[in-house]
Amino acid sequence: MYRLNSMRRTALGALAALAIAGPAAAAEPGLTDTEIVIGLFGPLSGPLVGYGLDPINAAKMWYDDINAKGGIHGRKIRLVVEDDKCTANDLVAAVKKLVTVDNVFMLHGGSCTAALTAAQEYINREKVPYAMLNAAGDNAVIPPLRYTFGAFHGTQRTYAAALTGFAIKELKVKRVAVIVHDDDYGKANLLTTEAILKAANVEVVAAERIPPNIADVTAPLLKIRAAKPDAILSGAYPAPAVLIAQKYAEYGMTAIPLLQAVQGIPTPAVFAKNVGNPAALENFYHGWSFTDVGDEAIKKKYADMYKKHYPDREAGPFMITGLPSAMAVAAALDKAGRNLTRESLVAAMESLDFKPEIMAGPLQFGPNRRDAMRSGFVVKYDGKTQKMMPGVYTWNGKDGL
Amino acid sequence: MWTALLLQAAASGIVTGCVYALVALSLVIVYKSTDVVNFAGGELLMLGGYLGLLALIYFEVSYPLMIVAVIVAMFVVGALFERITLATVRGRRYAKNPEADLVPMVVATIGLGYLLKGAVRVVPYTEEVRRLPPLVTGPPIFIGDVVLQRQDVAIIAATIVVMAALIVFFGWTATGKALRATSQNPRAAALIGIPVQSMRMIAWGLAAGLAGIAGILLSPKLLMTPDMGNVVMLAFAAAIIGGFSSLAGCVIGGIVLGVVQNLVGVLYSPQAMSVTPFVVIMLVLVLRPQGLFGELAFKKV
């Protein structure tokens, strides 16, 4: 009898202890006392692998370093990595597999906004916290969705605000021409640019919207030349950005500053080679939101860190874009504390406000804000050297909405 | 000011139109010789451009040698595709009506396009937009207020030369006439001793070689990505406008298309430029289905 009572008491005690100490850990998928499982995904194959391979490596590197230092509140981070090929079908399949088969605690990934927006409805329905890797399209984060946090290096509105702010403040422009694509990104860029210029009493003398697959930019460039602007703001993608710079030089417009948003110049040296005309870059600027251009020590620090983790691979230009989201996830996990739940992580992300040394400004969210980075620099590039221009320009969260 | 603006737009449109025309010529060769519409024409052009770039980078060959190497390599690619794939498809005879056999062959060209695009993407240099060095460099040429790059002039010259050479080839050489005979009636051509299978291989080799030339000329202008073959849709538009069976017609169709696109861009909106070719196709198909220079084909039954 005594023996039975003793066993019963022990069992009840164990159940009570579990009820008091471990309800959160037991209830949350992908979370134990010793580990947090994160589903990491991005393009690891296919035509857009360049956007994802190095950023994923960079995020893994950051988590590995955290684990080497003991993890976060006693828990190590375990990654389950999936290839999304930057296509909607593959990305949705990867996300569903990570959530239902691997039972991850949270998701971290995506290099292509168009693909990841296909999974957002599912992610929010399942209430899985999700940090975008390096995708930064406006329509993934504006309007905000509760479980999605992204744009860690700026949306189109951030890029537009940086270039426009610089043109007004440093170039003292009074007449501006804008050339963007006729898609959602171009629309966000144009609306923001026009709003900022209007507030500063600067006239938009030409606003050209071009198809992303345009083969000849003669018509828009001729219209811009005829409008006699003080500066040209371009939100073009890589191939049209090169065509624009070529025509701009061909039509003798190099006295007019040409300011290109960052998405058009993924690798400055390749861009310069493609343009093939040094005159086109005599008065050329581009946007950027990382401090690695102006600070050699930071550039070297992260390049060395990457080399240490991946001795056989040279870091590509997108490597650094994988870091801010990993830094933000780690900071939020730390802030959420030991009693971690998916909801407490969302709350921690919402109240996040810190500035990594690699970024132009702070990474911030809020109850109605899901785009992390609103600050950007402008860099002058002559085809050989990049020179950081003075000032940090910040989107106010209203222009262009 | 407007005159100078429109003249410049028209001049650039002529160059862009020649770009479309070069690709269209490659399509028309295949169509004239084998009745097959080649949906891989754009990807063959893309392959030619990348082969040229890789020859310059990896093998550091001279530009003229690179051109010859690309033409030869592309000829082999085209001929092999015909021999390995199309000949096999044709040999199976899917339907009693020989014309129905064209459907699997057209589908095979779509497959070739995907195959080439996938194969090129494996190469490291295709991760970013690239540009082949231009064939001709130097300061731009001014004609009044109109400015043209030397590469633009080279594209116009090459288009004219290629078109003339093809007209001579199909009109005055034995091989060209044999190719046409093969297209019009393969059985009768075989009966009079024309090696029909070899003719088809030659036609595909020629078309692929021409696509390679187009790739080398266009890559400095359009820039290179694995998706650059999408320009084939504009080449189809050029060929339809000019008449799918007319070599001169597709060149003129390309130029008309390039000029109209630019004028629409200047006078109306650059946003409308991507729609323009399809509006023009609709108009041509409704008003003159055989194209500006094509002939209505009748078949006795």
Side-chain angles (χ1 to χ4, degrees), chain A residues 271-336:
Chain A
F271 176 82
K273 199 171 180 186
N274 286 340
V275 172
N277 181 358
L281 303 179
E282 284 172 1
N283 213 349
F284 179 81
Y285 303 83
H286 69 85
W288 195 232
S289 53
F290 294 91
T291 53
D292 60 334
V293 169
D295 192 328
E296 279 302 317
I298 285 180
K299 191 175 184 176
K300 186 174 181 316
K301 176 181 169 183
Y302 288 94
D304 288 350
M305 191 190 284
Y306 193 84
K307 199 75 190 165
K308 189 179 140 200
H309 282 79
Y310 308 100
D312 298 331
R313 185 168 171 85
E314 205 64 43
F318 288 107
M319 182 276 283
I320 202 161
T321 65
L323 285 171
S325 55
M327 290 172 170
V329 167
L333 287 170
D334 184 46
K335 193 172 184 180

Side-chain angles (χ1 to χ4, degrees), chain A residues 25 37 136 153 176 198-199 234 259 398:
Chain A
V37 186
H153 57 94
V176 166
K198 189 179 175 189
S234 164
L259 295 91
K398 296 172 190 162

Side-chain angles (χ1 to χ4, degrees), chain A residues 10 34 56 78 90 108 118 157 294 309 312 315 339 378:
Chain A
T10 307
T34 55
I56 284 178
R78 181 165 67 84
D90 287 292
H108 180 198
R157 289 173 170 90
H309 282 79
D312 298 331
N339 293 325
V378 173

Side-chain angles (χ1 to χ4, degrees), chain A residues 47 208 216 246 250 267 274, chain B residues 16 121 128-129 131 149 270:
Chain A
E208 301 300 323
D216 186 355
Q246 287 175 332
E250 191 179 323
T267 311
N274 286 340
Chain B
T16 313
R121 277 177 174 150
E128 282 198 59
V129 174
R131 177 173 175 254
Q149 293 296 317

